[in-house]
């Protein structure tokens, strides 16, 4: 996943980046970093943990300069080593560069081997560092020409913010796997993974960065270049289902409105009778609300989520049944007792969380449990930056819906169809990556 942010020409660049990252925290909690530039050199602070753990007030004061980029990391390719935290800062043949990347390159290993044979020494195990090496190796003089040569060599998913001491670049891969939006705050330009990061700093949304586009922001001017024509678009449909914040706007609509529609379609595809509809909070709230509106079954809160579980949480020595679910969720007994319950969740990955949550519903006295999933069965792993497990661990890749129903111990189980899922977005399937649902990978794994 990962969240990225960049701001050009603002006296409080680092502070606004901090706020932007704060609103993108849901995209990654493993590490956070900000690089600012005073026009000549970079200052930076990068550390493990959530945004508010990493930066102190003093750090933000020290990170002076009118330009900044930031990153929140969620680990995928490359270990969760702090060395892999971003932005990556280097001094190379093109001067000082700082890069923040959201996505995953599928040909990183191939490019890395090639570069190592040419003598490159890598500091991290991330695929993102490969991009900086390719930039440094380029013979082109003009930086946009460098990017136009380098970017077509990358295969896979990449939304990037790239900072030189006085220029900010925003880049989106030709398929547009990951989102990237452009905003404006007075005379400052902002780039961010999601529009919620524009809202927090009261910036105006301008537009999305197009797949295959480079925007260059320099001397208060914005220039746009195309480095590749998109053969097809492949926005990750999981951005709608789970990753993005419900208040963010993607393709002209809020994530919340699409999730509501997913819930409505879920009911229409298999009408079910029940006393209440409850979400697994928070990711399924909007879908459960949509389900309730369409079915006229009352929406209620059967689970309450605790939001305060930090990285430093101490696991109890005492064995407590279903503890990993209990630390995050608790049931509201009188809502559930003796009720026929429709439970809406956004996805089942391994099935381990669902199993524990269902056990909690049963012990709260639910009479019938109808589990409804607002995404289709996940049958294949993601190679474009989402940390899904291998095929072996994906429950729907190995078992039928009926087998999963039995394993979870629910009265009924239904997943939305792929068509239903796509139609909820108001776009057709040629716009999306659906690989984890249909095994059809828009960018092949081979270099
Ligand atoms: P499980 O089936 O136990 O693996 O967990 C499924 C739950 O994890 C779902 O309810 C989602 O809300 C959440 N989820 C789905 N995809 C991801 C992901 N890539 N990273 C973290 N959580 C996820
Ligand atoms: Fe998104 Fe699934 Fe495609 Fe990965 S494989 S980019 S999670 S739709």
């Amino acid at each position: 996943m990962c969240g990225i942010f960049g701001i050009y020409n603002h006296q409080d660049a680092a502070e606004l980046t901090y706020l932007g990252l704060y609103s993108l925290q849901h995209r990654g909690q493993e590490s956070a970093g900000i690089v600012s530039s005073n026009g000549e050199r970079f200052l930076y602070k990068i550390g493990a943990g959530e945004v508010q753990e990493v930066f102190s007030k003093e750090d933000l004061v020290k990170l002076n300069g009118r330009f900044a980029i930031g990153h929140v990391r969620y680990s995928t390719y490359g270990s969760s080593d702090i060395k892999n935290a971003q932005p990556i800062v280097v001094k190379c043949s093109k001067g000082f560069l700082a890069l923040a990347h959201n996505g995953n390159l599928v040909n990183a290993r191939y490019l890395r081997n090639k570069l190592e044979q040419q003598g490159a020494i890598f500091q991290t195990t991330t695929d993102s560092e490969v991009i900086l090496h390719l930039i440094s190796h380029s013979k082109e003089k003009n930086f946009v020409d460098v990017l136009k040569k380098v970017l077509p060599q990358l295969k896979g998913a990449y939304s990037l913010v790239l900072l030189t001491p006085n220029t900010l670049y925003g880049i989106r891969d030709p398929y547009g796997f990951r989102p990237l939006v452009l905003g404006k705050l007075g005379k400052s330009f902002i780039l961010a993974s999601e529009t919620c990061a524009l809202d927090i700093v009261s910036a105006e949304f301008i537009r999305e960065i197009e797949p295959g586009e480079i925007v260059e922001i320099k001397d208060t001017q914005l220039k746009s270049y195309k480095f590749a024509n998109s053969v097809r678009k492949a926005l990750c449909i999981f951005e709608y289902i789970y990753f993005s914040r419900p208040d963010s706007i993607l393709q002209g609509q809020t994530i919340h409105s699409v999730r509501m529609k997913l819930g409505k379609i879920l009911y229409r595809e298999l009408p079910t009778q029940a006393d209440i509809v409850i979400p697994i909070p928070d990711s399924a709230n909007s879908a459960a609300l949509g389900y309730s509106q369409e079915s006229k079954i009352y929406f209620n809160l059967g689970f309450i989520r605790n939001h305060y579980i930090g990285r430093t949480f101490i696991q109890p020595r005492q064995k407590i049944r279903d503890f990993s679910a209990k630390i995050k969720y608790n049931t509201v007994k009188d809502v559930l007792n003796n009720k026929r319950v429709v439970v809406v969740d956004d996805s089942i990955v391994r099935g381990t969380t669902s199993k524990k949550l269902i056990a909690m519903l049963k012990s709260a006295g639910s009479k019938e449990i109808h589990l409804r999933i607002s995404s289709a069965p996940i049958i294949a792993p993601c190679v474009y930056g989402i940390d899904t497990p291998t095929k072996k661990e994906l429950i729907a890749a190995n078992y039928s819906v009926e087998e999963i129903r039995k394993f979870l111990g629910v009265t009924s189980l239904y997943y939305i169809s792929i068509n239903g899922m796509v139609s909820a977005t108001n776009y057709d399937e040629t716009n999306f990556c659906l690989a984890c649902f249909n095994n059809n990978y828009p960018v092949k794994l081979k270099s």
Side-chain angles (χ1 to χ4, degrees), residues 74 238 242-243 283 345-353 386-387:
Y74 166 98
F238 241 105
Y242 172 74
F243 301 133
S283 50
D345 201 357
D346 61 90
S347 56
I348 300 180
V349 183
R350 293 178 176 86
T352 45
T353 318
I386 302 308
D387 189 19

Side-chain angles (χ1 to χ4, degrees), residues 226-242:
K226 242 241 86 96
F227 66 90
N229 287 320
S230 344
V231 243
R232 56 160 290 193
K233 291 189 180 156
L235 173 68
C236 169
I237 201 162
F238 241 105
E239 291 286 347
Y240 278 121
I241 291 161
Y242 172 74

Side-chain angles (χ1 to χ4, degrees), residues 177-178 236-238 382 384 386 433-436:
F177 278 100
R178 301 281 147 227
C236 169
I237 201 162
F238 241 105
C382 178
Y384 308 121
I386 302 308
C433 173
L434 295 163
C436 52

